[in-house]
Amino acid sequence: MSEEKKGWFSRLKKAIIPTKEGLIGRIASVTIGRTKVDEELYQEMEDILIGADVGVTTTLKIIEQVREKRPQEPTQLKDFIVEEISLILKHEEGKLNMSEESPTVIMVVGVNGTGKTTTIAKLAARFKAEGKSVLLAAADTFRAAAIEQLEIWANRVNVSLIKHQPGADPGAVTYDAIQSIKARNTDVLIVDTAGRLHTKSNLMNELAKVRRVCQAQLPGAPHEVLLILDATCGQNGLLQAKQFTETVGVTGLALTKLDGTAKGGIVIAISDQLSLPVKLIGCGETLEDLIDFSGADFSRALFEEETVQV
Ligand SMILES: Nc1nc2c(ncn2[C@@H]2O[C@H](COP(=O)(O)OP(=O)(O)O)[C@@H](O)[C@H]2O)c(=O)[nH]1
Ligand SMILES: [Mg+2]
């Protein structure tokens, strides 16, 4: 494992300690002292999975698969559950769509407070460290504070920013930003967007327009429409994903605040229920706290024995 990978793997492991205790720790602990696999034990397992935000649908699916294997011993039941979860996570692999020949445009969408602006700052810092030129577009024009916040991050990370006045048309901000990256051959444009307007349909129309402006001004853009979901919001995230996907064609998910929840089981629910790939994980408030998502690594971090506290 490279030093860099070791670094973020330990970051991931640290972020999911509460989830690991709430999920794997509890699954292990209910099997202690039990001698047989009965309905009561199945029920307890279900409750633990649902309690960790794996979601009812995915939980029932996991338990059904496990039942078919007819575990005889409680520890075997535990192992089968771990196996099923690993299977669900295995195929998820996070990689942002980057354009080879033209500037890459990443449009970031999501409900207010989920972590859009913070994730944009983290991404900008990462691209910058890779030697890429970055432009941020403040297309969340709904609140003056949103523009200011993005500007603070742009200064801190030392990347350029395009902004208009508060209340300006987000489509116009996006238009200017695309003209700028084409003129300067900037490597990456990241577009911040609003998360709440007076009505939901208003917001969705606005986002659809931002997307159309990208498409019209640069063939292939936006290369990524990244939906930010707050891991502490649980199953609500699944609904948000469906809604945003219908209107703005989400291409990937970033799950933030994994460090602030014991309910990281939401990753399992998302991997199982949505056909959208989880690409990034936010695990803290600093610029370094952004990890490329890999289901295989996630399940390894979750199931590696040494830090499970029973
Ligand atoms: N602990 C933690 N906090 C985060 C993470 N990502 C964002 N936040 C915090 O969540 C709050 C809202 O973030 P912000 O980027 O402003 O959300 P936005 O409204 O979607 O743009 C801020 O206080 C961030 O510091 C994360 O991965 N972990
Ligand atoms: Mg914001």
Side-chain angles (χ1 to χ4, degrees), residues 42-244:
Y42 273 116
Q43 191 56 53
E44 283 175 49
M45 293 296 186
E46 260 179 43
D47 292 345
I48 292 169
L49 291 171
I50 291 169
D53 247 339
V54 175
V56 174
T57 313
T58 303
T59 296
L60 294 180
K61 187 173 135 183
I62 291 171
I63 296 296
E64 198 177 314
Q65 305 279 8
V66 168
R67 273 181 198 273
E68 278 175 17
K69 294 184 181 167
R70 301 188 181 284
Q72 301 300 309
E73 305 281 329
T75 52
Q76 201 180 23
L77 169 61
K78 180 198 88 179
D79 292 343
F80 286 166
I81 290 176
V82 167
E83 235 171 73
E84 287 303 322
I85 294 176
S86 306
L87 271 178
I88 291 173
L89 289 171
K90 202 172 80 182
H91 303 291
E92 291 279 313
E93 199 65 50
K95 198 140 184 50
L96 288 173
N97 296 321
M98 301 294 289
S99 163
E100 295 286 325
E101 60 277 354
S102 71
T104 296
V105 178
I106 302 173
M107 179 178 162
V108 176
V109 300
V111 170
N112 269 353
T114 50
K116 287 186 297 297
T117 306
T118 313
T119 305
I120 289 170
K122 291 173 181 177
L123 276 174
R126 174 197 281 200
F127 290 133
K128 186 111 198 296
E130 290 170 1
K132 296 188 169 81
S133 51
V134 181
L135 177 68
L136 305 184
D140 178 358
T141 60
F142 193 61
R143 300 167 301 154
I147 303 175
E148 283 158 24
Q149 192 198 359
L150 191 68
E151 193 163 27
I152 291 169
W153 277 117
N155 290 335
R156 206 175 289 172
V157 181
N158 196 18
V159 296
S160 316
L161 171 91
I162 289 233
K163 61 168 184 174
H164 287 189
Q165 294 300 314
D169 175 10
V173 179
T174 307
Y175 180 91
D176 281 357
I178 303 249
Q179 300 316 315
S180 168
I181 58 166
K182 285 200 291 193
R184 292 176 203 183
N185 210 15
T186 306
D187 295 315
V188 189
L189 165 65
I190 313 177
V191 184
D192 193 11
T193 63
R196 192 189 309 148
L197 292 183
H198 296 306
T199 66
K200 212 176 285 164
S201 67
N202 221 343
L203 170 65
M204 293 303 169
N205 288 339
E206 179 181 302
L207 294 177
K209 183 172 173 194
V210 168
R211 186 192 164 86
R212 277 199 308 275
V213 170
C214 294
Q215 283 170 328
Q217 298 306 315
L218 187 69
H223 304 87
E224 188 78 72
V225 179
L226 197 60
L227 173 65
I228 312 294
L229 294 179
D230 178 340
T232 65
C233 289
Q235 297 295 309
N236 211 343
L238 295 179
L239 288 175
Q240 290 169 18
K242 283 179 187 137
Q243 224 165 31
F244 278 89

